[in-house]
Every structure is written in structure tokens, then in C-alpha cells.
Amino acid sequence: MIRSRLPRFLTASFACLSCFAVVAMADDHHSGRRKLADKHAPAGIMGDHIHQPGQWMVEYKYMNMYMEDNRIGTQTVSDQAAIDWGATSHPVTNRGATPTQMTMEMHMMHLMYGWTEDISLYSMVMLPALTMDHLRGPGNPAGSGTSFTTHNSGMGDLGLGALMRLYSDERNDWLLNLGCSVPTGDLFRTSSAPTAGMMNQTLPYPMRLGSGTFNARPGVTYRHFFDLCSFGSQATADLPIGRNDRGYRLGEHYRLSNWFQCLMTDNWALSIRDQHDWRNNISGQDPDATDMLISTNVENFRGGYWYSLAVGTQFTVGKNYFNAEIVPTIGQNLDGIQLETDYSIIASWSLAF
């Protein structure tokens, strides 16, 4: 169902970009255009530029995603309704608890190096911090209707890759991203908080720090620069390879983003960006992830479609580059019952030398 909608959204998104292009068309005569404030894409985009041979770039990026309330498909339901629905769903779930809200923080340390004129190498260290609030269900020995919180943080999966220039002229760039992730994030941590200290339980899938698999992360990016504005489009995928040592792999994740940036001055730009995310359900099963306990353990309740519209700003101060976005979720259609995503905040600082 999710995949069948993919071509329609691709067509609509690129049509939107074409409209932006007609409005923003200007004479192509400025040299050094890529040195201005929109030289990087908005904060939520990675892999949009390369560096000169021998040039380094360091970047710190912060993301905070906030989720609250449960959703069945396109409908928001109350916390108690999430527990009641779990009693008749297939499989039966939420007997132990239902999630009520979650904060996903991510600290990212990004390093890039210009290897040749057309190839830049990069690595990214991910440090997630995950916090989820819950309401206990009727099968919880600590008592139905009471609340608890679980937390997990540490090192996530390591990102590595190369950006390759496919084509470039005075105004256009085509880049290929040959990326991957290495499974350095911990998969198996337990908590006694769900039962108020009576027993330890494995943290569910959304509370784990990594995928446990090597993942291919290909992507392609197109950018066009006008005199006073620019636009771009990027398609990426996150494709797990095999299964991890817990017996499962996360679902494939596909993303399409289109953006438009306008220069206010040479050192300051504003941006608007749309984002489409398609995620498939988990394949396989962790034997310790018991479906009946909580919906976040159910492998078939992890997929769906999300549409977001981001607004942001980019500016330079000397050699320092600052980038920020707020990304509210406009629409979502989720498989099974899941926490719905309200918004994300993304900000970064970078320095090239």
C-alpha cells in the first residue's frame, strides 16, 4: 500500500520544483555563486555538496524529534483507546503498556575530506538519546493505569561513504552518494522500569541504538543555482543487508526531499523544504520482543508514510556556517498502531578549512 503511492508523490514533488524554477529564473552570469549562504542545502539534508581536494570540513548537527499520541492509520486515538484496541488487534498487544510520547535526540559529528576534485569522503558518528513515556496496561504486575519512563543513550551506528560529482556546470550539480552504516549501536539493553523493578525486560525496537546490520545508504542529489535563489532535490534509501544477531532487520527507508532557498543577503538565506518518508515493516523477529506486552514490539507496526514541510535559515559568520530547520509533520499514514510524529528541530554548525 505504501509503495504504490511512491510514483504519485515523486511526480507531484518534481512538478512543485518546476513551478519554483519558473518563478525564480534569473540571468546566469555570476561566477563563484556556490560561495554564498545557500551553498549548503537545508539542515535536514546530508550529502548535498563536495569539497576541494585537500579541504576538510567538521560539522556538529543536532536533531530532536518529538512524538505524542497514538495513531491507527490516519486516525489519532487516546492512550486508553490504544490499550483497548490492542486487546482486539492482531496480534494482541499493549497488555503490558502503551507508549504515550517519545523524544528522540541525536548528536552527530560529521567529518568530510576532499579526496579529489570530484570525490569527497565522509564519516559520521551518531550519539542518540531516546526517552519514551508509557501508560501501564491491564496485564502489568505493577498496576494498570500508572505511568513510567524508559531511557537509552550511547553510540549509534557509524556512517561512512563517498560523494561523487556526476555532472557540474556553472549553475547545476548532480551528486551520487555511495554511503553505508556500520552496526556499532547497541541492540540489547534491558529495563525494570515497566514493572516497577519486579523484572527486567528488553527495550523495544524504537528504543534501540542501532540497526544491528550493515546498511547500504545510496542517494542522488540535484541542485540548481539562480542569481538570488536555488533549488534542489534529493532521493535516498537506507537498505539493511541480511539480519542482525537478534534475528531481524529493520525495514527499508526511502526519502524524497525537495527544497527552495532564497538569499536575503550574501551571508543569509531562508529555505522551505518538503519531505516524504516511506518505511517498511521489520523483517524477522527478536525472540525477546514479545508482541503482547507493547505495540512497539510488533514487527508489523513499524512501517508507514510521513509527509513533512520544513522552514529554515542558513547563514555564515566568517568561515562558520550555521543551519537550522523546524520540521512539522503535515500528514502520516501508519501501519498498525504507533506514536505519531509531531515535529523535528534540526540545527548544525560547520567549518571548512
PDB file of all heavy atoms in Angstrom, residues 75-109:
ATOM      1  N   GLN A  75      -5.726   8.010  11.893  1.00  0.00           N
ATOM      2  CA  GLN A  75      -6.567   8.498  12.977  1.00  0.00           C
ATOM      3  C   GLN A  75      -5.824   8.500  14.303  1.00  0.00           C
ATOM      4  O   GLN A  75      -5.237   7.499  14.702  1.00  0.00           O
ATOM      5  CB  GLN A  75      -7.831   7.628  13.106  1.00  0.00           C
ATOM      6  CG  GLN A  75      -8.689   7.610  11.847  1.00  0.00           C
ATOM      7  CD  GLN A  75      -9.230   8.987  11.502  1.00  0.00           C
ATOM      8  OE1 GLN A  75      -9.718   9.711  12.372  1.00  0.00           O
ATOM      9  NE2 GLN A  75      -9.149   9.351  10.227  1.00  0.00           N
ATOM     10  N   THR A  76      -5.865   9.641  15.009  1.00  0.00           N
ATOM     11  CA  THR A  76      -5.288   9.746  16.348  1.00  0.00           C
ATOM     12  C   THR A  76      -6.256   9.157  17.369  1.00  0.00           C
ATOM     13  O   THR A  76      -7.476   9.384  17.291  1.00  0.00           O
ATOM     14  CB  THR A  76      -5.004  11.217  16.696  1.00  0.00           C
ATOM     15  OG1 THR A  76      -4.114  11.759  15.722  1.00  0.00           O
ATOM     16  CG2 THR A  76      -4.369  11.344  18.069  1.00  0.00           C
ATOM     17  N   VAL A  77      -5.723   8.389  18.337  1.00  0.00           N
ATOM     18  CA  VAL A  77      -6.552   7.785  19.374  1.00  0.00           C
ATOM     19  C   VAL A  77      -5.968   8.136  20.747  1.00  0.00           C
ATOM     20  O   VAL A  77      -4.800   8.482  20.873  1.00  0.00           O
ATOM     21  CB  VAL A  77      -6.644   6.251  19.220  1.00  0.00           C
ATOM     22  CG1 VAL A  77      -7.279   5.891  17.883  1.00  0.00           C
ATOM     23  CG2 VAL A  77      -5.273   5.599  19.341  1.00  0.00           C
ATOM     24  N   SER A  78      -6.780   8.027  21.786  1.00  0.00           N
ATOM     25  CA  SER A  78      -6.332   8.305  23.143  1.00  0.00           C
ATOM     26  C   SER A  78      -5.444   7.175  23.658  1.00  0.00           C
ATOM     27  O   SER A  78      -5.408   6.079  23.088  1.00  0.00           O
ATOM     28  CB  SER A  78      -7.537   8.480  24.075  1.00  0.00           C
ATOM     29  OG  SER A  78      -8.219   7.240  24.221  1.00  0.00           O
ATOM     30  N   ASP A  79      -4.744   7.440  24.761  1.00  0.00           N
ATOM     31  CA  ASP A  79      -3.885   6.414  25.360  1.00  0.00           C
ATOM     32  C   ASP A  79      -4.697   5.193  25.781  1.00  0.00           C
ATOM     33  O   ASP A  79      -4.291   4.054  25.547  1.00  0.00           O
ATOM     34  CB  ASP A  79      -3.147   6.999  26.571  1.00  0.00           C
ATOM     35  CG  ASP A  79      -2.227   8.153  26.197  1.00  0.00           C
ATOM     36  OD1 ASP A  79      -1.827   8.232  25.018  1.00  0.00           O
ATOM     37  OD2 ASP A  79      -1.926   8.971  27.081  1.00  0.00           O
ATOM     38  N   GLN A  80      -5.846   5.403  26.413  1.00  0.00           N
ATOM     39  CA  GLN A  80      -6.666   4.276  26.845  1.00  0.00           C
ATOM     40  C   GLN A  80      -7.224   3.514  25.642  1.00  0.00           C
ATOM     41  O   GLN A  80      -7.304   2.288  25.652  1.00  0.00           O
ATOM     42  CB  GLN A  80      -7.818   4.756  27.736  1.00  0.00           C
ATOM     43  CG  GLN A  80      -8.615   3.620  28.373  1.00  0.00           C
ATOM     44  CD  GLN A  80      -7.741   2.690  29.199  1.00  0.00           C
ATOM     45  OE1 GLN A  80      -7.006   3.137  30.086  1.00  0.00           O
ATOM     46  NE2 GLN A  80      -7.811   1.391  28.932  1.00  0.00           N
ATOM     47  N   ALA A  81      -7.573   4.252  24.579  1.00  0.00           N
ATOM     48  CA  ALA A  81      -8.066   3.585  23.370  1.00  0.00           C
ATOM     49  C   ALA A  81      -6.974   2.729  22.734  1.00  0.00           C
ATOM     50  O   ALA A  81      -7.269   1.688  22.142  1.00  0.00           O
ATOM     51  CB  ALA A  81      -8.580   4.621  22.377  1.00  0.00           C
ATOM     52  N   ALA A  82      -5.715   3.160  22.868  1.00  0.00           N
ATOM     53  CA  ALA A  82      -4.600   2.364  22.345  1.00  0.00           C
ATOM     54  C   ALA A  82      -4.487   1.036  23.084  1.00  0.00           C
ATOM     55  O   ALA A  82      -4.210  -0.007  22.478  1.00  0.00           O
ATOM     56  CB  ALA A  82      -3.296   3.153  22.455  1.00  0.00           C
ATOM     57  N   ILE A  83      -4.707   1.061  24.391  1.00  0.00           N
ATOM     58  CA  ILE A  83      -4.685  -0.181  25.174  1.00  0.00           C
ATOM     59  C   ILE A  83      -5.894  -1.054  24.823  1.00  0.00           C
ATOM     60  O   ILE A  83      -5.766  -2.268  24.606  1.00  0.00           O
ATOM     61  CB  ILE A  83      -4.659   0.145  26.680  1.00  0.00           C
ATOM     62  CG1 ILE A  83      -3.319   0.800  27.051  1.00  0.00           C
ATOM     63  CG2 ILE A  83      -4.888  -1.108  27.518  1.00  0.00           C
ATOM     64  CD1 ILE A  83      -3.237   1.270  28.481  1.00  0.00           C
ATOM     65  N   ASP A  84      -7.072  -0.438  24.727  1.00  0.00           N
ATOM     66  CA  ASP A  84      -8.279  -1.198  24.412  1.00  0.00           C
ATOM     67  C   ASP A  84      -8.204  -1.796  23.006  1.00  0.00           C
ATOM     68  O   ASP A  84      -8.611  -2.947  22.792  1.00  0.00           O
ATOM     69  CB  ASP A  84      -9.515  -0.286  24.516  1.00  0.00           C
ATOM     70  CG  ASP A  84      -9.747   0.207  25.940  1.00  0.00           C
ATOM     71  OD1 ASP A  84      -9.218  -0.432  26.879  1.00  0.00           O
ATOM     72  OD2 ASP A  84     -10.432   1.235  26.107  1.00  0.00           O
ATOM     73  N   TRP A  85      -7.681  -1.035  22.035  1.00  0.00           N
ATOM     74  CA  TRP A  85      -7.559  -1.532  20.667  1.00  0.00           C
ATOM     75  C   TRP A  85      -6.600  -2.722  20.616  1.00  0.00           C
ATOM     76  O   TRP A  85      -6.815  -3.667  19.865  1.00  0.00           O
ATOM     77  CB  TRP A  85      -7.067  -0.408  19.754  1.00  0.00           C
ATOM     78  CG  TRP A  85      -6.930  -0.786  18.314  1.00  0.00           C
ATOM     79  CD1 TRP A  85      -7.910  -0.751  17.353  1.00  0.00           C
ATOM     80  CD2 TRP A  85      -5.751  -1.260  17.646  1.00  0.00           C
ATOM     81  NE1 TRP A  85      -7.414  -1.157  16.136  1.00  0.00           N
ATOM     82  CE2 TRP A  85      -6.085  -1.475  16.285  1.00  0.00           C
ATOM     83  CE3 TRP A  85      -4.445  -1.516  18.058  1.00  0.00           C
ATOM     84  CZ2 TRP A  85      -5.165  -1.936  15.345  1.00  0.00           C
ATOM     85  CZ3 TRP A  85      -3.519  -1.974  17.137  1.00  0.00           C
ATOM     86  CH2 TRP A  85      -3.876  -2.182  15.790  1.00  0.00           C
ATOM     87  N   GLY A  86      -5.558  -2.671  21.451  1.00  0.00           N
ATOM     88  CA  GLY A  86      -4.590  -3.761  21.479  1.00  0.00           C
ATOM     89  C   GLY A  86      -5.180  -5.088  21.901  1.00  0.00           C
ATOM     90  O   GLY A  86      -4.676  -6.149  21.527  1.00  0.00           O
ATOM     91  N   ALA A  87      -6.281  -5.058  22.658  1.00  0.00           N
ATOM     92  CA  ALA A  87      -6.902  -6.304  23.119  1.00  0.00           C
ATOM     93  C   ALA A  87      -7.591  -7.057  21.990  1.00  0.00           C
ATOM     94  O   ALA A  87      -7.786  -8.278  22.069  1.00  0.00           O
ATOM     95  CB  ALA A  87      -7.918  -5.997  24.222  1.00  0.00           C
ATOM     96  N   THR A  88      -7.955  -6.350  20.904  1.00  0.00           N
ATOM     97  CA  THR A  88      -8.657  -6.985  19.794  1.00  0.00           C
ATOM     98  C   THR A  88      -7.849  -6.968  18.498  1.00  0.00           C
ATOM     99  O   THR A  88      -8.313  -7.468  17.482  1.00  0.00           O
ATOM    100  CB  THR A  88     -10.000  -6.273  19.539  1.00  0.00           C
ATOM    101  OG1 THR A  88      -9.753  -4.882  19.261  1.00  0.00           O
ATOM    102  CG2 THR A  88     -10.910  -6.387  20.756  1.00  0.00           C
ATOM    103  N   SER A  89      -6.670  -6.364  18.534  1.00  0.00           N
ATOM    104  CA  SER A  89      -5.847  -6.293  17.326  1.00  0.00           C
ATOM    105  C   SER A  89      -5.199  -7.646  17.060  1.00  0.00           C
ATOM    106  O   SER A  89      -5.235  -8.549  17.892  1.00  0.00           O
ATOM    107  CB  SER A  89      -4.766  -5.227  17.490  1.00  0.00           C
ATOM    108  OG  SER A  89      -3.841  -5.599  18.505  1.00  0.00           O
ATOM    109  N   HIS A  90      -4.622  -7.761  15.890  1.00  0.00           N
ATOM    110  CA  HIS A  90      -3.863  -8.978  15.573  1.00  0.00           C
ATOM    111  C   HIS A  90      -2.466  -8.569  15.144  1.00  0.00           C
ATOM    112  O   HIS A  90      -2.298  -7.889  14.144  1.00  0.00           O
ATOM    113  CB  HIS A  90      -4.536  -9.777  14.473  1.00  0.00           C
ATOM    114  CG  HIS A  90      -3.781 -11.040  14.139  1.00  0.00           C
ATOM    115  ND1 HIS A  90      -3.792 -12.138  14.970  1.00  0.00           N
ATOM    116  CD2 HIS A  90      -2.969 -11.350  13.097  1.00  0.00           C
ATOM    117  CE1 HIS A  90      -3.025 -13.089  14.439  1.00  0.00           C
ATOM    118  NE2 HIS A  90      -2.517 -12.625  13.301  1.00  0.00           N
ATOM    119  N   PRO A  91      -1.445  -8.924  15.932  1.00  0.00           N
ATOM    120  CA  PRO A  91      -1.550  -9.702  17.178  1.00  0.00           C
ATOM    121  C   PRO A  91      -2.045  -8.843  18.344  1.00  0.00           C
ATOM    122  O   PRO A  91      -2.011  -7.622  18.279  1.00  0.00           O
ATOM    123  CB  PRO A  91      -0.103 -10.137  17.409  1.00  0.00           C
ATOM    124  CG  PRO A  91       0.710  -9.034  16.819  1.00  0.00           C
ATOM    125  CD  PRO A  91      -0.049  -8.564  15.613  1.00  0.00           C
ATOM    126  N   VAL A  92      -2.500  -9.520  19.394  1.00  0.00           N
ATOM    127  CA  VAL A  92      -2.886  -8.823  20.621  1.00  0.00           C
ATOM    128  C   VAL A  92      -1.657  -8.130  21.194  1.00  0.00           C
ATOM    129  O   VAL A  92      -0.564  -8.695  21.252  1.00  0.00           O
ATOM    130  CB  VAL A  92      -3.484  -9.810  21.641  1.00  0.00           C
ATOM    131  CG1 VAL A  92      -3.708  -9.124  22.979  1.00  0.00           C
ATOM    132  CG2 VAL A  92      -4.790 -10.379  21.101  1.00  0.00           C
ATOM    133  N   THR A  93      -1.813  -6.874  21.621  1.00  0.00           N
ATOM    134  CA  THR A  93      -0.666  -6.111  22.107  1.00  0.00           C
ATOM    135  C   THR A  93      -1.112  -5.126  23.185  1.00  0.00           C
ATOM    136  O   THR A  93      -2.290  -5.059  23.543  1.00  0.00           O
ATOM    137  CB  THR A  93       0.018  -5.373  20.932  1.00  0.00           C
ATOM    138  OG1 THR A  93       1.247  -4.810  21.379  1.00  0.00           O
ATOM    139  CG2 THR A  93      -0.863  -4.271  20.374  1.00  0.00           C
ATOM    140  N   ASN A  94      -0.163  -4.383  23.731  1.00  0.00           N
ATOM    141  CA  ASN A  94      -0.388  -3.338  24.738  1.00  0.00           C
ATOM    142  C   ASN A  94      -0.988  -3.882  26.035  1.00  0.00           C
ATOM    143  O   ASN A  94      -1.577  -3.126  26.815  1.00  0.00           O
ATOM    144  CB  ASN A  94      -1.291  -2.223  24.187  1.00  0.00           C
ATOM    145  CG  ASN A  94      -0.529  -1.286  23.262  1.00  0.00           C
ATOM    146  OD1 ASN A  94       0.701  -1.294  23.224  1.00  0.00           O
ATOM    147  ND2 ASN A  94      -1.251  -0.473  22.523  1.00  0.00           N
ATOM    148  N   ARG A  95      -0.836  -5.179  26.296  1.00  0.00           N
ATOM    149  CA  ARG A  95      -1.302  -5.710  27.577  1.00  0.00           C
ATOM    150  C   ARG A  95      -0.395  -5.233  28.718  1.00  0.00           C
ATOM    151  O   ARG A  95      -0.852  -5.071  29.843  1.00  0.00           O
ATOM    152  CB  ARG A  95      -1.321  -7.241  27.547  1.00  0.00           C
ATOM    153  CG  ARG A  95      -2.291  -7.866  26.544  1.00  0.00           C
ATOM    154  CD  ARG A  95      -3.748  -7.538  26.871  1.00  0.00           C
ATOM    155  NE  ARG A  95      -4.173  -6.259  26.301  1.00  0.00           N
ATOM    156  CZ  ARG A  95      -5.268  -5.606  26.655  1.00  0.00           C
ATOM    157  NH1 ARG A  95      -6.042  -6.107  27.599  1.00  0.00           N
ATOM    158  NH2 ARG A  95      -5.586  -4.473  26.093  1.00  0.00           N
ATOM    159  N   GLY A  96       0.884  -5.025  28.406  1.00  0.00           N
ATOM    160  CA  GLY A  96       1.803  -4.539  29.438  1.00  0.00           C
ATOM    161  C   GLY A  96       1.802  -3.034  29.562  1.00  0.00           C
ATOM    162  O   GLY A  96       1.820  -2.484  30.665  1.00  0.00           O
ATOM    163  N   ALA A  97       1.752  -2.341  28.420  1.00  0.00           N
ATOM    164  CA  ALA A  97       1.782  -0.871  28.426  1.00  0.00           C
ATOM    165  C   ALA A  97       1.572  -0.377  27.013  1.00  0.00           C
ATOM    166  O   ALA A  97       1.709  -1.115  26.033  1.00  0.00           O
ATOM    167  CB  ALA A  97       3.109  -0.362  28.963  1.00  0.00           C
ATOM    168  N   THR A  98       1.245   0.917  26.900  1.00  0.00           N
ATOM    169  CA  THR A  98       1.250   1.601  25.619  1.00  0.00           C
ATOM    170  C   THR A  98       2.174   2.801  25.715  1.00  0.00           C
ATOM    171  O   THR A  98       2.234   3.467  26.757  1.00  0.00           O
ATOM    172  CB  THR A  98      -0.152   2.065  25.208  1.00  0.00           C
ATOM    173  OG1 THR A  98      -0.082   2.677  23.910  1.00  0.00           O
ATOM    174  CG2 THR A  98      -0.728   3.069  26.190  1.00  0.00           C
ATOM    175  N   PRO A  99       2.936   3.117  24.663  1.00  0.00           N
ATOM    176  CA  PRO A  99       3.696   4.370  24.680  1.00  0.00           C
ATOM    177  C   PRO A  99       2.739   5.550  24.587  1.00  0.00           C
ATOM    178  O   PRO A  99       1.666   5.451  23.969  1.00  0.00           O
ATOM    179  CB  PRO A  99       4.579   4.265  23.431  1.00  0.00           C
ATOM    180  CG  PRO A  99       3.835   3.340  22.523  1.00  0.00           C
ATOM    181  CD  PRO A  99       3.132   2.362  23.417  1.00  0.00           C
ATOM    182  N   THR A 100       3.090   6.656  25.199  1.00  0.00           N
ATOM    183  CA  THR A 100       2.261   7.859  25.143  1.00  0.00           C
ATOM    184  C   THR A 100       2.985   9.027  24.483  1.00  0.00           C
ATOM    185  O   THR A 100       2.360   9.858  23.838  1.00  0.00           O
ATOM    186  CB  THR A 100       1.803   8.283  26.542  1.00  0.00           C
ATOM    187  OG1 THR A 100       2.962   8.535  27.368  1.00  0.00           O
ATOM    188  CG2 THR A 100       0.955   7.201  27.190  1.00  0.00           C
ATOM    189  N   GLN A 101       4.304   9.113  24.654  1.00  0.00           N
ATOM    190  CA  GLN A 101       5.082  10.120  23.949  1.00  0.00           C
ATOM    191  C   GLN A 101       6.553   9.708  23.948  1.00  0.00           C
ATOM    192  O   GLN A 101       6.982   8.880  24.752  1.00  0.00           O
ATOM    193  CB  GLN A 101       4.927  11.509  24.563  1.00  0.00           C
ATOM    194  CG  GLN A 101       5.447  11.665  25.969  1.00  0.00           C
ATOM    195  CD  GLN A 101       5.239  13.084  26.488  1.00  0.00           C
ATOM    196  OE1 GLN A 101       4.348  13.812  26.071  1.00  0.00           O
ATOM    197  NE2 GLN A 101       6.079  13.481  27.422  1.00  0.00           N
ATOM    198  N   MET A 102       7.331  10.283  23.017  1.00  0.00           N
ATOM    199  CA  MET A 102       8.729   9.921  22.884  1.00  0.00           C
ATOM    200  C   MET A 102       9.521  11.112  22.365  1.00  0.00           C
ATOM    201  O   MET A 102       9.036  11.879  21.514  1.00  0.00           O
ATOM    202  CB  MET A 102       8.898   8.736  21.930  1.00  0.00           C
ATOM    203  CG  MET A 102      10.331   8.260  21.776  1.00  0.00           C
ATOM    204  SD  MET A 102      10.463   6.809  20.695  1.00  0.00           S
ATOM    205  CE  MET A 102      12.224   6.477  20.820  1.00  0.00           C
ATOM    206  N   THR A 103      10.726  11.271  22.875  1.00  0.00           N
ATOM    207  CA  THR A 103      11.674  12.255  22.372  1.00  0.00           C
ATOM    208  C   THR A 103      12.909  11.519  21.866  1.00  0.00           C
ATOM    209  O   THR A 103      13.505  10.732  22.600  1.00  0.00           O
ATOM    210  CB  THR A 103      12.086  13.261  23.465  1.00  0.00           C
ATOM    211  OG1 THR A 103      10.918  13.937  23.938  1.00  0.00           O
ATOM    212  CG2 THR A 103      13.067  14.279  22.917  1.00  0.00           C
ATOM    213  N   MET A 104      13.254  11.769  20.607  1.00  0.00           N
ATOM    214  CA  MET A 104      14.444  11.164  20.011  1.00  0.00           C
ATOM    215  C   MET A 104      15.450  12.277  19.730  1.00  0.00           C
ATOM    216  O   MET A 104      15.261  13.084  18.814  1.00  0.00           O
ATOM    217  CB  MET A 104      14.090  10.437  18.711  1.00  0.00           C
ATOM    218  CG  MET A 104      13.093   9.325  18.877  1.00  0.00           C
ATOM    219  SD  MET A 104      12.633   8.562  17.279  1.00  0.00           S
ATOM    220  CE  MET A 104      14.221   7.919  16.747  1.00  0.00           C
ATOM    221  N   GLU A 105      16.498  12.332  20.514  1.00  0.00           N
ATOM    222  CA  GLU A 105      17.571  13.296  20.299  1.00  0.00           C
ATOM    223  C   GLU A 105      18.733  12.608  19.591  1.00  0.00           C
ATOM    224  O   GLU A 105      19.015  11.438  19.841  1.00  0.00           O
ATOM    225  CB  GLU A 105      18.069  13.879  21.615  1.00  0.00           C
ATOM    226  CG  GLU A 105      17.082  14.771  22.322  1.00  0.00           C
ATOM    227  CD  GLU A 105      17.683  15.380  23.573  1.00  0.00           C
ATOM    228  OE1 GLU A 105      17.691  14.696  24.600  1.00  0.00           O
ATOM    229  OE2 GLU A 105      18.168  16.516  23.501  1.00  0.00           O
ATOM    230  N   MET A 106      19.405  13.347  18.727  1.00  0.00           N
ATOM    231  CA  MET A 106      20.563  12.797  18.031  1.00  0.00           C
ATOM    232  C   MET A 106      21.655  13.862  17.955  1.00  0.00           C
ATOM    233  O   MET A 106      21.420  14.972  17.470  1.00  0.00           O
ATOM    234  CB  MET A 106      20.184  12.340  16.624  1.00  0.00           C
ATOM    235  CG  MET A 106      21.296  11.648  15.875  1.00  0.00           C
ATOM    236  SD  MET A 106      21.628   9.989  16.485  1.00  0.00           S
ATOM    237  CE  MET A 106      20.198   9.112  15.832  1.00  0.00           C
ATOM    238  N   HIS A 107      22.831  13.515  18.467  1.00  0.00           N
ATOM    239  CA  HIS A 107      24.028  14.349  18.310  1.00  0.00           C
ATOM    240  C   HIS A 107      24.886  13.687  17.241  1.00  0.00           C
ATOM    241  O   HIS A 107      25.206  12.494  17.340  1.00  0.00           O
ATOM    242  CB  HIS A 107      24.796  14.446  19.624  1.00  0.00           C
ATOM    243  CG  HIS A 107      23.987  14.996  20.752  1.00  0.00           C
ATOM    244  ND1 HIS A 107      23.889  16.346  21.011  1.00  0.00           N
ATOM    245  CD2 HIS A 107      23.210  14.383  21.693  1.00  0.00           C
ATOM    246  CE1 HIS A 107      23.112  16.547  22.057  1.00  0.00           C
ATOM    247  NE2 HIS A 107      22.679  15.361  22.487  1.00  0.00           N
ATOM    248  N   MET A 108      25.274  14.446  16.218  1.00  0.00           N
ATOM    249  CA  MET A 108      26.013  13.884  15.087  1.00  0.00           C
ATOM    250  C   MET A 108      27.306  14.669  14.870  1.00  0.00           C
ATOM    251  O   MET A 108      27.278  15.899  14.787  1.00  0.00           O
ATOM    252  CB  MET A 108      25.156  13.932  13.818  1.00  0.00           C
ATOM    253  CG  MET A 108      23.937  13.033  13.861  1.00  0.00           C
ATOM    254  SD  MET A 108      22.691  13.413  12.587  1.00  0.00           S
ATOM    255  CE  MET A 108      21.734  14.673  13.451  1.00  0.00           C
ATOM    256  N   MET A 109      28.403  13.947  14.790  1.00  0.00           N
ATOM    257  CA  MET A 109      29.712  14.529  14.497  1.00  0.00           C
ATOM    258  C   MET A 109      30.115  14.092  13.094  1.00  0.00           C
ATOM    259  O   MET A 109      30.302  12.902  12.836  1.00  0.00           O
ATOM    260  CB  MET A 109      30.744  14.085  15.532  1.00  0.00           C
ATOM    261  CG  MET A 109      30.354  14.397  16.970  1.00  0.00           C
ATOM    262  SD  MET A 109      30.071  16.165  17.273  1.00  0.00           S
ATOM    263  CE  MET A 109      31.687  16.825  16.891  1.00  0.00           C
TER     264      MET A 109
END
